[in-house]
Amino acid sequence: MPETDADLFGMTWEEAGDAIDDADFAVLPTGSIEQHGPHLPVSTDTLRADHLTAELVDAADEFDLDLLRLPTLPYGQSEHHMRFPGTITLSTETYVDVIREIGESIVEHGADRLLIVNCHGGNREPLSVAADRLGRDTDLTVHFVHWTDFAREDLEEAYGEGWGHAGDHETSFVELYRPDLVRTEKKEPQEAAEMPRTRSYEYFDEVTELGGLGDPTNSDPDALEPIVAATTREILGALVEDLDAGW
């Protein structure tokens, strides 16, 4: 896991108090522990949250932002992956409470703004609920970034369609940051059922037998590196714009 000078993890309580006072945002990275096909580790989304928020911290000075990075929350809402071994999930209700209580903790110490940087699709709805509750019930201002939303156009240009869960994009990410965790010999195209038009699915094995989407044999970590850099700048620029606009 990457470490930065802005990590709460390594601070004393005195250092933490100063860092909270100085920070424009406390940053909470959110991931998951869930299956990512036969070739990627169950920690893929948590690895993404950890490394991509480290990129934000490293570039924050260029945007005159001071970030305090909270420890990455490794567990998410992954009930739809529970038929695959290794997946660990929190219920929606528990996940909302965990996020809310993290926010309540930091606001008690004087934090003004919380930036949630999410790297797992299943977290989106409960994070939105938790963010709304924190904003209404506390003095904390919550900003929510789903990282992929800021990279979507570039990812589609680099990898085409079907680059989603455990596919071209996520395989490229793990190959870029943690190539030792990729089971290269297990990479193969992952066929998926056509999604229904009027309902969702309960479990991911109804969609794909191997647990992934897209073709991980088309991974290209070299193509992902500039996308990470551009997306990092896009997110930081959006935060500055929102601050300047009074949000």
Side-chain angles (χ1 to χ4, degrees):
M1 293 296 189
E3 294 184 3
T4 79
D5 292 337
D7 286 353
L8 179 67
F9 188 91
M11 295 181 183
T12 67
W13 69 264
E14 291 176 315
E15 293 165 345
D18 291 338
I20 290 170
D21 287 342
D22 293 340
D24 296 301
F25 294 91
V27 181
L28 176 63
T30 56
S32 69
I33 299 295
E34 64 179 34
Q35 70 84 19
H36 273 76
H39 63 291
L40 293 180
V42 297
S43 60
T44 293
D45 288 342
T46 296
L47 288 170
R48 291 172 58 221
D50 206 43
H51 284 274
L52 294 171
T53 53
E55 297 281 359
L56 291 173
V57 169
D58 288 343
D61 282 348
E62 301 175 37
F63 291 80
D64 198 25
L65 288 175
D66 191 320
L67 305 182
L68 170 64
R69 193 169 71 136
L70 308 181
T72 299
L73 181 60
Y75 300 115
Q77 208 286 27
S78 300
E79 293 175 346
H80 51 301
H81 289 289
M82 280 301 292
R83 288 179 175 171
F84 292 90
T87 299
I88 297 176
T89 189
L90 302 177
S91 69
T92 297
E93 296 78 11
T94 297
Y95 191 70
V96 170
D97 285 344
V98 167
I99 299 298
R100 182 175 54 80
E101 291 179 11
I102 290 172
E104 289 172 348
S105 294
I106 63 170
V107 76
E108 185 166 331
H109 300 310
D112 296 316
R113 293 180 181 271
L114 174 65
L115 167 62
I116 300 171
V117 180
N118 180 51
C119 291
H120 168 52
N123 294 342
R124 294 182 68 143
E125 291 185 7
L127 282 173
S128 179
V129 172
D132 286 347
R133 290 183 183 175
L134 282 168
R136 293 173 182 141
D137 297 342
T138 75
D139 293 329
L140 192 66
T141 300
V142 183
H143 298 247
F144 176 52
V145 166
H146 185 65
W147 193 91
T148 305
D149 286 347
F150 284 79
R152 192 171 303 278
E153 291 185 8
D154 288 342
L155 290 173
E156 289 176 353
E157 183 176 347
Y159 301 110
E161 298 182 359
W163 43 264
H165 185 79
D168 316 28
H169 154 229
E170 290 193 320
T171 302
S172 298
F173 173 86
V174 182
E175 288 175 336
L176 179 62
Y177 286 94
R178 288 297 305 272
D180 56 305
L181 296 179
V182 180
R183 280 65 168 175
T184 303
E185 73 282 0
K186 294 281 190 177
K187 290 166 58 175
E188 62 177 285
Q190 304 171 101
E191 295 185 4
E194 186 173 349
M195 294 292 189
R197 296 179 63 192
T198 61
R199 56 156 291 185
S200 185
Y201 53 85
E202 281 75 40
Y203 292 99
F204 211 63
D205 63 352
E206 299 171 25
V207 178
T208 168
E209 181 179 354
L210 290 177
L213 305 173
D215 185 355
T217 65
N218 289 332
S219 63
D220 185 353
D222 291 336
L224 184 62
E225 191 167 12
I227 294 175
V228 169
T231 304
T232 296
R233 298 183 64 82
E234 181 70 19
I235 292 170
L236 292 170
L239 293 174
V240 171
E241 289 179 10
D242 284 348
L243 287 176
D244 289 345
W247 291 107

